[in-house]
Amino acid sequence: MTKSLVIVESPAKAKTINKYLGKDFKVMASMGHVRDLPKKNLGVSIEDNFEPQYITLPNKKNVVSDLKSEAKKADQVFLAPDPDREGEAICWHLQEAVIPKGKPVHRVLFNEITKKAVTAAIQKPLQVNMNLVDAQQARRILDRLVGYQISPILWQKVKGGISAGRVQSVALRMIVDRENEIRAFVSEEYWSFLAQLEGKLPPPFKARLVKWQDEAIRLGNKTAKRSIDNEELARTVEAALKQATFTIQDIKKKAKSQSAPPPFTTSKLQQEASRVLGFTVSRTMTLAQKLYEGIEIDGEPIGLITYMRTDSTRVSEEALAQVREYIGKNFAEPYLPEKARYFKQNKGAQDGHEAIRPSRVDLRPEDVAPYLDRSELRLYTLIWKRFVASQMEAKKMNETVLEIAADQGILEAKGLVTTFDGYSTLYTADKPVQDSESEEPTGELPNLSVGEQLHLLELKTEQNFTKPPARYNEASLVKALEENGIGRPSTYATIISTIQNRTYVEKQEGRFHPSDLGVLVTTLLVDAFPELMDIHYTAKMEDYLDQVERGEITWKGLLKDFYRGFENNLKQAEAEMPNMKRQGLVTDLPCEVCGSPTAIKNGKYGQFLSCTNYPECTFAKRIRDIDPETTQMSVLKSMINKEEPQIVEGMNCPECGGNLVKKRSKYGEFLACSNFPTCKYIHQEKVEVPCPKCQGEIRVRKSKRGKVFYGCSNYPKCDFVSWDKPSGKPCPQCHEPTTFYKERKQGTTQYCQKQDCNYSEQLSEVGVSD
């Protein structure tokens, strides 16, 4: 008879824990949630004080049956899902749906999956925390109320298959707002001056003009009292500098130090893995989950990192003692601070979990390398180095700033010399974003003295223009979501994947561009649900959920307060939101044929401009053909493609001889004949490698989400398809006719796709600095 049953949520975690606890315990996996709201209907009884109508998930009936059977036989049950709101909710649902009434049931919490942590948790069990459960229920029902009640309105008014979400729609709004900022940005001209100078002693160095006629001049996007904003003035300044005497006016020297960054929180790990490793947020979280749940090393299972969903930088005293001992043994004495370092928590951070760190600091990346695949190892290395570095001494530098007088100008040169590398011997800190025109400090400057005259070797005069804000990439979007209090780091991967799956945004060169559909839906939602789409309101809702977790307010009270205003907005949207399938969104542009107002409508191939006097007037026009100067509507400006189709040099249409031009569709960029619609030729790029199945042509294609893949020209007779580019080079091990290139931001791997062949060769890579 089984004495104790332990239930976790994943098989990998169950396998690891089972080996720790021995024969007196049986460990089983629930495979995530066993109950949830039904998919076919709202599943929330609004009239009955928002009572949820949970059902056993159809694909979990066998799992629940097995768990029930084992729970009946067990003396007691330990619930050990992850230590967060979702994990607590899984525990409660198991308690309600699986465990017989009256059976002793305990909640066990551990921050890392090691034998010591798991056995300690079993020895000191707790009860399910209903405040955490209630916070999860409140979030789940809020999301259901918004998604299931707004989405049908969008299906009716815009198109089927799209959706709205309490957090996803606000994240989309941030991307659309950024696009509107970029479209509205007016670039301003300014000129910069960079002098190459030399003193009595080498080496030569560079200095930048920072003042003219006692006023700071514009450098980059930062505003200044003075801007040298035209070529005539720039040439005047240039001539004066070329004739000037350059004299050292002031020398400032100071010691600087740079402290190590704290160990990772979830969002910082997501950002840094994107910046350094080129990982998407989703991939980072998947890999971190594997590292947390455990691998086998020399026959012993161990979770390699602590729990990966946290916004705390706190580290246990035991872990601090271990890492300080490691630094003391493996680095010279100056690298170990006198005392352990403690980090200030971010405002609103939940301190329930530690920061993300290795569970055992003595397991160095090289020690675990044989047991991990390349991506897992790179992420583990990043986490391990960041944690160890966080307890090392600061990096120390000497900074020298030279102030140089020349005619009516002041130039500045900066030198920065590292005197002690400190933590940076192991880990390079996050790089702040620099203005492209600003000069980073150079290395060591020559030994100079005040009053010394310098010789001008070269003067570089350059025309520049201020730049609009950059579009979001995954790392910067995560940072913006966190800074604005939108969602939780554990939800960021889902948010980002959802807005892409719905074709609201597309990635171009790693940055998010809103689609016409994304702009349109955002405009409609902001107008119909101004509070719900407000960034500050969404952040305030996160605070309310935290209050539920702390037991300060009730979850049903929160839902009641929310729904009071939301219900009114729903009724108004159903009645007043423009129907894009019928009358459309009325614009400020008159019809070019009859003068009636025009409206944006949603058609089979996207949005277009149509006369509201249809069918009497049949005027219609592609949005991208509209002159953006003729409208003041931000939504319309955001949809207009300002660029003319670009002619591709050296390529002509094989059917009519016309030019080929670059065009864009909702699936991305493609080449087509410039004589469309007379000629409907569309160029299909091909790879100069024969199909490995039938020897046909391999063509470059795009999925509905715009992702490139490779397929045979003989489809559907030949079903060859690959996400990765064929190389045309045979496999050196199994002699398959072609290997494939897997390209990522961090490098390219050549590998064989044959199932029983393990050939793989790294061609180039970018990784964590050693």
Side-chain angles (χ1 to χ4, degrees):
M1 179 179 180
T2 302
K3 291 184 179 179
S4 298
L5 173 66
V6 180
I7 304 177
V8 297
E9 65 272 68
S10 79
K13 190 172 172 182
K15 181 180 176 182
T16 303
I17 292 174
N18 195 52
K19 292 189 177 182
Y20 292 154
L21 296 179
K23 61 181 181 180
D24 290 338
F25 293 84
K26 181 165 186 176
V27 186
M28 297 180 70
S30 70
M31 312 297 289
H33 281 277
V34 296
R35 295 199 312 173
D36 199 1
L37 300 172
K39 281 190 175 182
K40 293 183 178 179
N41 53 60
L42 184 63
V44 179
S45 179
I46 297 170
E47 300 77 12
D48 191 17
N49 202 19
F50 301 95
E51 191 64 30
Q53 298 160 357
Y54 294 117
I55 62 165
T56 299
L57 294 170
N59 62 338
K60 295 294 178 65
K61 288 182 179 178
N62 291 338
V63 173
V64 169
S65 177
D66 292 343
L67 290 173
K68 277 184 175 181
S69 176
E70 291 299 327
K72 285 179 182 178
K73 293 185 283 185
D75 287 344
Q76 56 184 337
V77 179
F78 292 91
L79 303 174
D82 289 343
D84 57 13
R85 287 177 187 168
E86 288 299 320
E88 210 71 19
I90 291 173
C91 290
W92 179 71
H93 284 297
L94 287 169
Q95 192 169 288
E96 292 292 303
V98 170
I99 301 166
K101 300 299 180 186
K103 179 77 66 174
V105 58
H106 313 284
R107 172 69 162 127
V108 289
L109 295 168
F110 37 81
N111 192 52
E112 58 190 47
I113 303 178
T114 59
K115 186 171 185 177
K116 183 178 180 180
V118 172
T119 52
I122 292 288
Q123 290 166 8
K124 293 184 179 179
L126 306 167
Q127 296 299 310
V128 172
N129 184 333
M130 286 308 298
N131 287 339
L132 274 175
V133 174
D134 289 346
Q136 190 275 344
Q137 288 194 96
R139 177 188 291 278
R140 183 75 185 93
I141 295 171
L142 279 170
D143 292 344
R144 175 57 66 99
L145 291 172
V146 171
Y148 270 52
Q149 293 188 283
I150 295 181
S151 296
I153 298 175
L154 294 178
W155 303 339
Q156 178 190 351
K157 308 277 189 176
V158 184
K159 63 179 289 189
I162 61 176
S163 70
R166 186 180 62 85
V167 179
Q168 81 176 45
S169 296
V170 177
L172 174 61
R173 179 185 182 172
M174 292 171 66
I175 294 171
V176 171
D177 284 351
R178 176 60 57 88
E179 192 70 19
N180 288 335
E181 285 181 60
I182 293 169
R183 294 296 176 101
F185 185 83
V186 178
S187 186
E188 296 180 8
E189 180 183 4
Y190 71 96
W191 290 70
S192 60
F193 305 85
L194 187 66
Q196 179 90 354
L197 301 168
E198 129 182 289
K200 295 175 183 176
L201 300 173
F205 62 96
K206 293 177 180 178
R208 185 173 292 280
L209 183 70
V210 294
K211 285 185 178 181
W212 187 253
Q213 296 177 343
D214 295 326
E215 290 182 340
I217 64 170
R218 163 167 254 165
L219 294 171
N221 276 25
K222 293 180 180 177
T223 56
K225 287 185 177 180
R226 188 182 186 91
S227 179
I228 299 172
D229 57 6
N230 61 76
E231 185 172 5
E232 183 181 356
L233 178 56
R235 297 307 174 197
T236 301
V237 173
E238 180 185 48
L241 290 175
K242 285 183 175 179
Q243 298 298 319
T245 300
F246 290 79
T247 307
I248 300 290
Q249 182 171 283
D250 190 20
I251 300 175
K252 295 186 177 73
K253 293 186 177 182
K254 65 177 179 179
K256 297 183 75 173
S257 67
Q258 184 184 66
S259 296
F264 284 125
T265 60
T266 302
S267 66
K268 288 295 186 288
L269 175 63
Q270 292 167 347
Q271 293 170 52
E272 193 72 344
S274 175
R275 184 184 74 85
V276 177
L277 307 179
F279 290 173
T280 63
V281 171
S282 177
R283 189 173 182 213
T284 296
M285 296 308 290
T286 299
L287 292 170
Q289 184 85 36
K290 289 181 181 178
L291 295 176
Y292 167 69
E293 291 184 341
I295 61 166
E296 242 181 56
I297 298 180
D298 296 331
E300 179 189 350
I302 182 170
L304 289 178
I305 64 170
T306 54
Y307 190 53
M308 64 285 163
R309 295 186 180 93
T310 177
D311 50 11
S312 171
T313 55
R314 179 178 60 82
V315 175
S316 71
E317 292 298 325
E318 182 180 6
L320 286 176
Q322 289 173 359
V323 71
R324 284 179 58 78
E325 181 182 357
Y326 179 88
I327 295 168
K329 287 181 178 178
N330 292 276
F331 293 87
E333 186 178 347
Y335 289 89
L336 181 65
E338 287 185 14
K339 298 178 181 178
R341 300 186 65 225
Y342 296 89
F343 298 92
K344 186 178 179 181
Q345 300 283 27
N346 291 330
K347 184 180 178 183
Q350 297 177 353
D351 197 35
H353 311 304
E354 289 187 58
I356 302 169
R357 60 169 176 81
S359 57
R360 280 176 47 187
V361 76
D362 61 313
L363 286 176
R364 301 167 301 171
E366 54 265 39
D367 298 327
V368 300
Y371 310 98
L372 301 177
D373 67 28
R374 182 171 175 271
S375 295
E376 292 165 351
L377 178 60
R378 296 180 75 211
L379 188 66
Y380 180 75
T381 301
L382 189 71
I383 293 168
W384 187 90
K385 286 187 173 183
R386 174 90 165 210
F387 174 62
V388 176
S390 73
Q391 288 300 319
M392 295 175 73
E393 267 292 0
K395 178 181 179 180
K396 293 180 172 58
M397 299 156 285
N398 284 335
E399 183 184 61
T400 302
V401 180
L402 304 179
E403 194 174 279
I404 303 159
D407 197 86
Q408 300 179 74
I410 298 293
L411 292 88
E412 193 175 81
K414 288 184 179 181
L416 194 64
V417 178
T418 299
T419 56
F420 175 62
D421 57 3
Y423 78 89
S424 69
T425 192
L426 182 65
Y427 183 87
T428 303
D430 311 5
K431 292 180 180 178
V433 176
Q434 298 267 349
D435 282 332
S436 58
E437 293 82 13
S438 66
E439 276 298 297
E440 292 188 40
T442 58
E444 191 169 3
L445 292 171
N447 191 15
L448 301 165
S449 57
V450 174
E452 182 175 342
Q453 291 189 1
L454 307 171
H455 176 55
L456 176 64
L457 299 175
E458 182 186 6
L459 180 65
K460 184 179 179 182
T461 303
E462 189 173 7
Q463 182 188 36
N464 306 281
F465 293 91
T466 55
K467 296 178 180 178
R471 291 179 176 89
Y472 290 112
N473 57 23
E474 288 209 8
S476 60
L477 181 59
V478 164
K479 183 179 180 182
L481 290 169
E482 183 184 35
E483 288 177 346
N484 286 287
I486 307 300
R488 285 289 177 199
S490 57
T491 66
Y492 293 160
T494 304
I495 292 169
I496 290 170
S497 65
T498 300
I499 59 177
Q500 290 181 88
N501 291 338
R502 296 287 185 262
T503 66
Y504 289 151
V505 301
E506 62 178 30
K507 259 188 182 180
Q508 296 175 27
E509 298 180 347
R511 295 194 175 268
F512 293 114
H513 294 244
S515 65
D516 286 354
L517 180 63
V519 172
L520 180 61
V521 168
T522 298
T523 302
L524 295 174
L525 291 179
V526 168
D527 186 54
F529 301 92
E531 191 172 46
L532 185 71
M533 293 291 288
D534 181 75
I535 291 171
H536 301 296
Y537 176 79
T538 307
K540 190 165 64 175
M541 188 59 67
E542 293 295 334
D543 291 338
Y544 290 149
L545 291 168
D546 291 343
Q547 290 179 42
V548 173
E549 183 175 322
R550 295 192 296 267
E552 295 171 1
I553 60 174
T554 66
W555 66 283
K556 289 190 174 180
L558 168 59
L559 292 172
K560 186 177 180 181
D561 290 343
F562 163 78
Y563 201 75
R564 191 178 295 115
F566 178 65
E567 186 178 28
N568 293 332
N569 290 143
L570 275 175
K571 291 176 181 177
Q572 192 170 349
E574 287 172 344
E576 299 178 11
M577 182 183 284
N579 190 318
M580 303 304 295
K581 298 176 180 178
R582 295 175 186 170
Q583 74 267 27
L585 182 65
V586 177
T587 76
D588 59 349
L589 296 179
C591 173
E592 295 175 12
V593 175
C594 70
S596 299
T598 57
I600 302 168
K601 289 189 177 182
N602 201 53
K604 183 178 179 181
Y605 300 105
Q607 285 70 43
F608 65 97
L609 198 68
S610 173
C611 181
T612 55
N613 197 27
Y614 179 86
E616 284 75 14
C617 177
T618 59
F619 168 77
K621 192 173 188 177
R622 294 182 301 182
I623 298 281
R624 70 183 185 88
D625 291 337
I626 300 169
D627 182 352
E629 300 301 321
T630 61
T631 178
Q632 297 301 312
M633 284 184 69
S634 60
V635 61
L636 193 51
K637 282 180 177 289
S638 296
M639 291 180 177
I640 296 170
N641 183 354
K642 297 181 181 179
E643 297 179 4
E644 290 294 320
Q646 184 181 345
I647 295 175
V648 181
E649 297 293 336
M651 292 185 72
N652 295 95
C653 174
E655 295 185 3
C656 73
N659 292 319
L660 291 187
V661 294
K662 289 182 180 179
K663 293 187 175 184
R664 289 202 62 80
S665 73
K666 60 182 179 179
Y667 300 132
E669 193 174 84
F670 66 98
L671 302 183
C673 183
S674 58
N675 292 327
F676 179 86
T678 305
C679 177
K680 297 183 179 180
Y681 172 77
I682 295 176
H683 176 73
Q684 289 189 315
E685 187 181 347
K686 63 182 180 181
V687 180
E688 298 301 327
V689 175
C691 172
K693 285 191 173 183
C694 74
Q695 300 301 302
E697 287 186 345
I698 296 179
R699 291 182 175 169
V700 182
R701 304 181 186 274
K702 286 190 177 181
S703 69
K704 288 185 176 181
R705 289 184 55 194
K707 186 176 179 181
V708 170
F709 68 96
Y710 302 87
C712 183
S713 59
N714 292 329
Y715 177 84
K717 290 182 180 179
C718 177
D719 63 355
F720 168 77
V721 68
S722 172
W723 288 115
D724 299 322
K725 185 178 181 179
S727 70
K729 300 174 184 177
C731 175
Q733 290 185 14
C734 72
H735 309 294
E736 275 286 290
T738 183
T739 52
F740 295 80
Y741 294 129
K742 186 176 285 295
E743 295 188 17
R744 298 191 180 98
K745 184 177 178 181
Q746 65 271 24
T748 303
T749 302
Q750 182 178 333
Y751 75 101
C752 181
Q753 287 190 351
K754 192 173 180 182
Q755 193 168 4
D756 56 352
C757 180
N758 60 3
Y759 169 71
S760 179
E761 181 182 354
Q762 186 67 31
L763 302 182
S764 62
E765 73 173 296
V766 178
V768 184
S769 57
D770 292 323

